Amino acid sequence: MSLTLISADFTPGGPIPAIHTCDGANTSPALSWSGVPPDTRSLVLIIDDPDAPDPAAPKMTWVHSVLYNLPPQANHLPAGIREAELPRGTQAGLNDFKNTRYGGPCPPIGRHRYVHKLYALDTVLPDLRHPTKPQLEKAMQGHVKAQTELIGTYQRGH
């Protein structure tokens, strides 16, 4: 069984509901996963937008959420979960909004893709003190046992 990631709030490749964006309540979507390899020690979840600022001419990947050290027995995050409600041991990294909270889609132009990436690691990472995505990816090197992704899209005012 391979690692899979789904959302009750949007279908793969489908639109993310406005409630989960800057045009709504800016709350995280519900996510659930299965197929975690048996010897997994922790999970990492990164949500980013590779289409920033304009999908016709992307210049950067904008990071919306960074979570690491999710316990391997966890199998979901409910919609709108707050940092204090995350599974025990979970740590948050810095997003490109310069905070550790979920930052929803808020594309300035066009329809953007939001890539929800889940990684199963063979280790529990040390306390990285709110790492950025590149810092976390460096710490993960050589420890990824499995990975999967779920893509949702969003376009403002359409």
Side-chain angles (χ1 to χ4, degrees), residues 1-139:
M1 185 163 149
S2 62
L3 187 61
T4 58
L5 178 63
I6 62 171
S7 177
D9 295 322
F10 63 94
T11 58
I16 296 171
I19 192 170
H20 303 297
T21 74
C22 67
D23 294 320
N26 210 23
T27 58
S28 59
L31 296 172
S32 60
W33 50 89
S34 61
V36 174
D39 48 350
T40 297
R41 301 275 318 278
S42 70
L43 301 169
V44 170
L45 177 68
I46 297 172
I47 304 172
D48 60 26
D49 167 8
D51 299 324
D54 178 355
K59 292 184 173 60
M60 67 176 298
T61 296
W62 186 267
V63 180
H64 288 262
S65 183
V66 176
L67 296 175
Y68 69 104
N69 285 343
L70 283 97
Q73 64 274 16
N75 62 6
H76 74 284
L77 294 174
I81 192 167
R82 294 189 306 263
E83 200 171 331
E85 301 166 330
L86 290 168
R88 185 181 191 95
T90 302
Q91 294 178 275
L94 273 180
N95 59 30
D96 284 336
F97 299 104
K98 305 295 183 228
N99 65 56
T100 57
R101 297 181 305 277
Y102 168 84
C106 199
I109 185 172
R111 179 170 298 281
H112 288 226
R113 294 169 296 148
Y114 296 87
V115 185
H116 302 67
K117 302 174 199 168
L118 183 69
Y119 301 88
L121 305 185
D122 66 3
T123 190
V124 174
L125 296 171
D127 183 352
L128 300 170
R129 295 185 174 21
H130 305 301
T132 61
K133 176 185 158 186
Q135 290 167 331
L136 180 57
E137 288 175 332
K138 183 176 181 188

